[in-house]
Amino acid sequence: MSLKIAPSILAGDLGNLRREVERIEDNADIIHLDVMDGNFAPNITFGPGTIKALRKYSKLPFDAHLMISEPLRYLDRFIDAGCDIISVHAEVCTDKTFDDVMNRLNKDGVKAGIAINPDTEIPDWVISRLNSIYLINVMSVQPGFSGQKFMPEVLLKMAKVDQIIHDKGVDTVIEADGGVDTSNVYELVRAGARILVAGNAVCGQPDAKKAIRELKEKALPAIKEV
Ligand code: DX5
Ligand code: ZN
């Protein structure tokens, strides 16, 4: 697939999320929504009610990244809010609970994602289900906050995940998330990332549209060389 930029509005003006959505609408490909429960992640952000309220201001796909301990418990509400992609964390799932998550998402045509923390290796139960997983979010910061420093050691794991995806012949997309900016997008795309989440590098900038263009300019040559 081509390269997609998914700005995280968490890095924007939390007092005016409607404006954050509107200022990236024309240039972004996906809107990334970082949901945290103060339990799995050491921060509390927003939930399905906020996402539902924002849905009417955007036509872009909504990508909810659930950094919450009990995703199954709240899944219905995120589906109802209008999310197009919903990712849950491998650290809070078993093969069994993830199957329940996928069955629930499939029922409403919502794409399933799985996210892994920087220090989590891709579990075998994820590898065996890759053909049903739309994206794998390979995090390059610890869940919690926008504006953290990129962890370059994640690049090696990302390349391994990319190899697994190729070996299995599946279409799962790698999403890079955490500290993504113009200094590392080239390497991330070389390592296999095709969705680039960018919080501070886009929504933290006064000219978000320009920031998206610059990320693409730096990243695209890495695809052309593959
Ligand atoms: C971290 C979130 C990220 C983060 C991205 O817990 O999952 O999506 O908000 O923001 P930046 O790009 O600023 O690291
Ligand atoms: Zn995220």
Side-chain angles (χ1 to χ4, degrees), residues 6 8-11 32-36 41 65 67 89 137 139-150 176-181 197-202:
S8 165
I9 59 172
L10 180 63
H32 187 81
L33 300 152
D34 285 306
V35 176
M36 304 184 203
H65 176 191
M67 287 162 276
H89 263 267
N137 177 329
M139 289 197 70
S140 36
V141 298
Q142 298 296 344
F145 301 91
S146 173
Q148 299 181 77
K149 202 173 158 301
F150 177 72
D177 188 7
V180 173
D181 63 23
V197 174
N200 191 46
V202 170

Side-chain angles (χ1 to χ4, degrees), residues 69-130:
S69 298
E70 292 185 82
L72 253 182
R73 187 166 167 193
Y74 297 99
L75 214 49
D76 281 351
R77 295 190 53 204
F78 286 100
I79 294 169
D80 176 63
C83 297
D84 301 279
I85 309 161
I86 298 182
S87 300
V88 299
H89 263 267
E91 295 81 7
V92 298
C93 287
T94 62
D95 51 352
K96 167 80 184 65
T97 53
F98 188 62
D99 282 341
D100 290 345
V101 167
M102 285 202 298
N103 288 335
R104 182 66 197 88
L105 295 178
N106 284 340
K107 214 167 91 181
D108 279 82
V110 177
K111 294 183 170 107
I114 189 88
I116 53 175
N117 282 347
D119 46 7
T120 301
E121 291 301 325
I122 181 171
D124 287 342
W125 57 263
V126 170
I127 296 175
S128 62
R129 287 165 177 75
L130 277 177

Side-chain angles (χ1 to χ4, degrees), residues 56-72:
K56 55 183 171 294
Y57 301 117
S58 173
K59 293 191 167 54
L60 294 176
F62 273 13
D63 167 30
H65 176 191
L66 303 189
M67 287 162 276
I68 66 177
S69 298
E70 292 185 82
L72 253 182

Side-chain angles (χ1 to χ4, degrees), residues 172-222:
T172 311
V173 180
I174 296 178
E175 177 173 66
D177 188 7
V180 173
D181 63 23
T182 51
S183 75
N184 52 37
V185 287
Y186 181 85
E187 284 174 289
L188 283 164
V189 172
R190 285 277 294 220
R194 290 296 180 271
I195 299 177
L196 301 173
V197 174
N200 191 46
V202 170
C203 293
Q205 304 303 312
D207 190 340
K209 292 182 171 60
K210 182 166 153 243
I212 293 170
R213 279 198 304 273
E214 285 173 356
L215 284 176
K216 280 200 169 156
E217 270 163 33
K218 289 269 192 252
L220 277 172

